[in-house]
Amino acid sequence: MNKSKTKGKSWEREVVQFLSKIYKKSFIRVPNSGAYVGGQNEVRKSQLSEEQIKLMRGDIVPPSEFPHFVAECKNYAHFPFHLLISDSRIRLLDDWIKQVEHDSKENDLWLLFIKITRKGTYVVYDTRSLYPLDEGIIYGRYWFCDMEYFFES
């Protein structure tokens, strides 16, 4: 397995442990790494039930108490933070948002969990689903904020 896949799986495990601890419920990684029915794996949907599809969206399988929760996890070495304050488009972030939105349905709440090496951990979400917090930065209609702060608020 290559280093980036190992790094990604490690971050997914950290997020699973974090969410399980906070909510005292069982969150698990989606089997086979990455979204089992997202992106290039879209064709798998034709062989699955609605319940199976619901469980395989994003990178994390939530407990049954959170049927409308979708999480995508990204772990990268670098991120162009300076573009957030210059009101420029960030192709990498746009691609990540597009990916999690593709895996989500209209009434879902999705969170994009981002870990940037030696910089921090962050959450991005759609402000149509949740209001912006006191700390963070707007990116189009999305809110980008510190992960710990998001869950403490």
Side-chain angles (χ1 to χ4, degrees):
M1 184 181 324
N2 68 37
K3 281 179 148 181
S4 65
K5 281 197 183 277
T6 301
K7 187 175 180 181
K9 285 182 178 185
S10 173
W11 175 230
E12 290 170 6
R13 279 190 292 276
E14 283 183 55
V15 173
V16 161
Q17 291 169 354
F18 180 83
L19 293 172
S20 296
K21 183 177 178 183
I22 286 178
Y23 293 106
K24 297 180 181 17
K25 302 281 181 190
S26 178
F27 290 79
I28 62 169
R29 286 183 57 249
V30 168
N32 299 320
S33 185
Y36 188 77
V37 294
Q40 297 173 347
N41 299 324
E42 185 82 22
V43 295
R44 291 178 172 163
K45 286 183 178 179
S46 65
Q47 300 168 1
L48 300 173
S49 71
E50 279 300 312
E51 190 62 29
Q52 289 171 318
I53 291 170
K54 189 171 25 173
L55 291 173
M56 296 297 177
R57 298 178 304 146
D59 289 327
I60 295 175
V61 179
S64 59
E65 295 87 351
F66 299 99
H68 300 287
F69 177 71
V70 178
E72 188 67 37
C73 302
K74 300 296 179 185
N75 186 351
Y76 276 62
H78 305 285
F79 185 82
F81 289 99
H82 64 286
L83 295 178
L84 286 171
I85 59 171
S86 68
D87 202 28
S88 298
R89 299 308 308 164
I90 303 171
R91 177 179 274 169
L92 184 63
L93 184 54
D94 290 340
D95 289 347
W96 294 343
I97 291 170
K98 183 178 175 183
Q99 183 180 359
V100 71
E101 286 185 333
H102 179 269
D103 287 349
S104 302
K105 295 190 189 299
E106 188 176 326
N107 60 344
D108 286 337
L109 169 65
W110 60 258
L111 295 177
L112 175 59
F113 292 88
I114 301 171
K115 181 176 185 176
I116 306 300
T117 305
R118 291 185 289 283
K119 300 290 187 227
T121 57
Y122 308 92
V123 169
V124 175
Y125 60 89
D126 192 330
T127 58
R128 294 180 302 179
S129 299
L130 296 170
Y131 291 109
L133 301 173
D134 292 335
E135 294 179 19
I137 192 162
I138 195 78
Y139 178 76
R141 71 170 193 256
Y142 307 99
W143 195 250
F144 189 110
C145 66
D146 179 81
M147 184 173 134
E148 296 285 336
Y149 176 75
F150 176 83
F151 284 94
E152 289 171 1
S153 299

